[in-house]
Amino acid sequence: MSEQKELSSPAMRKSADPAIMIIFGASGDLTRRKLVPSLYSLTLGKLMPEQFHVLGVARSQLTDEQFAESLKEGMAQFGRHKPRDLWPSFSKRLSYLSGGYDDPETYRRLAEKLDQIDTEMGLTCNRLFYLAIPPTLYGEVIERLGEVGLNHTDGGWSRIIIEKPFGRDLKSAHELNELTHKHFAESQVYRIDHYLGKETVQNILTFRFANSIFEPLWNRNYVDNVQISVLESVGVGHRGGYYDQSGVLRDMFQNHLLQLLSLVAMEAPASFDADALRNEKVKALSAVRLLSPEEVLDHLVVGQYEGYLDIPEVEDGSRTPTYAALSLYLDNWRWQGVPFYLRSGKGLKEKMTEIVIGFKSPPHVMFPLQVGEQIHPNVISMCIQPDEGIHLRFEAKVPDTQADMRSVDMDFHYKESFGEVMIPEAYERLLMNAINGDAALFTRADGIEAAWRIVDPLLQVCESGRIPTAKYKKGSWGPVEADELMAREGRAWQFGCMHS
Ligand code: BG6
């Protein structure tokens, strides 16, 4: 099969503006694993314009050729598409600039180099900066870009993508927003959360708002509880240093889990416009009831997998949680009284991300049930990954019985309906959207702060040592305390996507 035919991603039809993408942190993992492989896939899919250039910036001393070679190796190892026929022409679009992030000289040379590339390629000065560097350097790079005037261009656009984590808590996120806004208008800023680039995450809105049969039930009158699980089998791996300073609440809850929550809980926006959408998401997050320290003790369970302390760069005796389970409530008309249960952890039995909407039981059961027998409430499970799809569980009569019933599933699987290759990498969609100036799938300044406002009280209680860090075995489903949290409320964690 030719390299071109292998790719089929008509979902992203719009071709991008001619532009230069400047990656800070170009010799790092993200660039090799995600960014450049995504640009390659987009190029294969003919979604990138002829005039597109990638300029890597990092401290390592590399020539353009060495830079391209290291990216090629990364792609061979991690890319959805291996570097084949298209690589020679693609690699001509790559160049490299080495320099310290705190050195004004780097930025002077960068500005010169960008002008030179623009002139050589006849580009219109569209620039997309990507911060794939450690978060402690974000402020420095943003300031320096502003100082040399790279925060705007004459006749083109200048945008900046900022990786997560955006801040360590509400205060630092707010300060970073302020510093960013000193140099870039909010419309130029793209705070990335790769979960929003996932097809299945975008489909939450389609499922809710392109169908009329679900939305009337999507509220406190019919929904008993909502569960959002982002479970990972991998451990912390080689990221001990970063992870030990972050933990699961910063690494997963503040961003991915709360983004999922906002998509499930939000009201229907009037349009698909970035701000209309983000306004509703922020409203949903702002409706989350903030927990007092006492309430945190009742609503949060944190755990750490056995063996975590042996990981390089993890502090001796660290209590950093690799798992957390949390119950939250939203104070608004739609969701009053409906618990949202969130859990995420590493080192678990399987990788699985799902959102389970558990409905209330029928108000009256006319069927003869055995003693202790109950009707299973209906469940909608949105399977974000790995077996992407949606399941609706309902009761059916067992044939040839008087009134016995059993739960059955109505399933939608992406692979069956659309074919395997139809799901693009999250970063492909997000890069494409940033180049096209569509910020709908990026987090706005107020959205980031609304999420930190929810997580801050949890962090404070955890970091004060008031909450015990439960231990759990690697390869289990997490600490028993998380099951007890549910059992106290007469519920259990659901695995809505596992049984088929
Ligand atoms: C990242 C976290 O944002 O998301 C990682 O930093 C985590 O710790 C990853 O493993 C999970 O992403 P995905 O797409 O594999 O679910």
Side-chain angles (χ1 to χ4, degrees):
M1 204 194 299
S2 88
E3 196 179 18
Q4 208 69 57
K5 273 198 196 135
E6 237 176 67
L7 182 85
S8 117
S9 136
M12 290 187 281
R13 282 188 203 94
K14 195 173 169 201
S15 175
D17 285 351
I20 308 179
M21 178 165 158
I22 304 100
I23 307 177
F24 287 90
S27 56
D29 245 21
L30 185 69
T31 308
R32 276 168 15 107
R33 282 176 186 251
K34 298 287 184 194
L35 303 183
V36 170
S38 297
L39 293 172
Y40 189 78
S41 293
L42 290 169
T43 311
L44 265 180
K46 299 198 185 309
L47 292 162
M48 299 301 280
E50 270 307 303
Q51 294 142 307
F52 188 79
H53 197 84
V54 178
L55 175 61
V57 182
R59 281 179 285 226
S60 321
Q61 293 288 337
L62 297 175
T63 62
D64 288 350
E65 292 71 29
Q66 287 167 327
F67 177 55
E69 198 46 39
S70 81
L71 297 177
K72 190 177 177 192
E73 282 164 22
M75 278 194 50
Q77 207 178 336
F78 307 110
R80 193 157 77 101
H81 301 282
K82 304 301 167 201
R84 291 181 6 205
D85 312 355
L86 188 75
W87 179 258
S89 63
F90 181 83
S91 65
K92 291 202 185 96
R93 301 167 178 214
L94 306 171
S95 51
Y96 185 79
L97 182 89
S98 77
Y101 300 120
D102 57 351
D103 182 358
E105 186 56 17
T106 306
Y107 299 83
R108 200 194 50 73
R109 287 191 296 123
L110 173 62
E112 252 175 43
K113 179 102 184 171
L114 290 174
D115 285 343
Q116 183 197 331
I117 299 171
D118 276 341
T119 314
E120 277 169 21
M121 296 183 63
L123 293 183
T124 44
C125 300
N126 293 329
R127 280 128 190 212
L128 179 64
F129 297 98
Y130 198 117
L131 303 193
I133 44 178
T136 45
L137 298 172
Y138 292 167
E140 175 91 53
V141 174
I142 292 168
E143 289 271 23
R144 303 264 174 213
L145 287 173
E147 273 166 24
V148 287
L150 283 172
N151 49 346
H152 58 82
T153 64
D154 291 335
W157 49 254
S158 174
R159 299 182 186 133
I160 185 161
I161 302 185
I162 307 177
E163 260 296 331
K164 70 169 267 279
F166 193 96
R168 280 188 57 74
D169 50 22
L170 177 59
K171 182 168 174 287
S172 56
H174 180 70
E175 285 165 4
L176 184 55
N177 272 331
E178 288 203 322
L179 185 144
T180 308
H181 289 155
K182 247 172 71 187
H183 301 287
F184 291 89
E186 181 59 29
S187 59
Q188 295 174 279
V189 184
Y190 293 69
R191 295 172 197 78
I192 204 163
D193 180 322
H194 79 279
Y195 265 58
L196 298 179
K198 289 182 191 278
E199 262 316 311
T200 43
V201 172
Q202 292 162 44
N203 191 44
I204 298 171
L205 294 188
T206 312
F207 184 72
R208 290 189 57 195
F209 303 131
N211 296 297
S212 57
I213 58 175
F214 305 115
E215 199 49 28
L217 308 178
W218 212 263
N219 58 53
R220 66 189 302 273
N221 298 324
Y222 298 96
V223 174
D224 174 75
N225 74 96
V226 176
Q227 300 188 13
I228 301 178
S229 301
V230 183
L231 311 177
E232 295 187 275
S233 51
V234 291
V236 169
H238 62 278
R239 299 161 76 213
Y242 152 75
Y243 196 88
D244 203 41
Q245 297 301 312
S246 305
V248 68
L249 293 173
R250 289 191 175 91
D251 188 50
M252 300 295 286
F253 275 69
Q254 187 275 336
N255 36 71
H256 309 325
L257 277 98
L258 288 177
Q259 287 300 321
L260 294 177
L261 179 141
S262 66
L263 292 169
V264 172
M266 69 192 261
E267 297 299 320
S271 76
F272 206 43
D273 162 81
D275 275 327
L277 212 79
R278 296 186 299 176
N279 287 344
E280 295 305 335
K281 286 174 63 185
V282 175
K283 274 193 228 162
L285 289 179
S286 308
V288 171
R289 191 184 307 158
L290 303 182
L291 300 176
S292 69
E294 291 314 315
E295 287 166 332
V296 171
L297 298 175
D298 285 340
H299 288 250
L300 177 70
V301 166
V302 289
Q304 188 186 79
Y305 65 80
E306 290 172 0
Y308 172 76
L309 294 176
D310 303 330
I311 295 171
E313 294 176 51
V314 166
E315 275 179 29
D316 288 347
S318 163
R319 287 187 301 103
T320 298
T322 58
Y323 178 99
L326 172 71
S327 61
L328 288 177
Y329 287 87
L330 275 75
D331 287 327
N332 62 18
W333 273 58
R334 185 189 281 262
W335 294 116
Q336 192 61 42
V338 178
F340 280 67
Y341 299 108
L342 278 56
R343 63 176 168 160
S344 178
K346 291 199 185 292
L348 301 175
K349 193 165 180 182
E350 277 179 38
K351 180 176 175 77
M352 198 176 60
T353 302
E354 62 174 37
I355 298 165
V356 177
I357 316 291
F359 287 86
K360 294 188 171 172
S361 298
H364 167 68
V365 179
M366 66 167 189
F367 303 102
L369 298 178
Q370 312 279 354
V371 181
E373 196 188 352
Q374 277 179 353
I375 288 198
H376 294 117
N378 299 136
V379 170
I380 292 178
S381 306
M382 312 179 91
C383 311
I384 305 296
Q385 57 191 22
D387 181 11
E388 293 87 355
I390 295 179
H391 305 224
L392 168 60
R393 193 180 75 190
F394 59 94
E395 295 299 281
K397 179 175 172 293
V398 178
D400 207 17
T401 63
Q402 196 205 349
D404 288 1
M405 54 191 100
R406 212 179 69 198
S407 302
V408 294
D409 239 12
M410 230 149 83
D411 288 355
F412 149 60
H413 292 273
Y414 275 75
K415 281 180 199 153
E416 282 167 18
S417 301
F418 296 119
E420 200 141 354
V421 285
M422 289 298 296
I423 301 186
E425 255 285 328
Y427 275 94
E428 292 174 27
R429 156 69 65 192
L430 294 173
L431 288 177
M432 189 73 200
N433 284 11
I435 297 164
N436 283 324
D438 179 355
L441 300 180
F442 294 83
T443 316
R444 217 169 48 188
D446 52 351
I448 285 276
E449 293 188 23
W452 276 119
R453 207 163 281 123
I454 299 166
V455 172
D456 251 19
L458 314 177
L459 288 170
Q460 279 159 18
V461 172
C462 280
E463 288 168 5
S464 70
R466 283 188 69 194
I467 195 162
T469 308
K471 289 283 178 186
Y472 62 97
K473 287 218 176 318
K474 235 182 151 183
S476 69
W477 283 122
V480 287
E481 286 81 349
D483 299 332
E484 290 163 7
L485 172 93
M486 295 296 267
R488 281 202 295 277
E489 305 198 4
R491 300 193 178 88
W493 292 107
Q494 303 267 337
F495 291 88
C497 301
M498 264 180 85
H499 46 285
S500 60

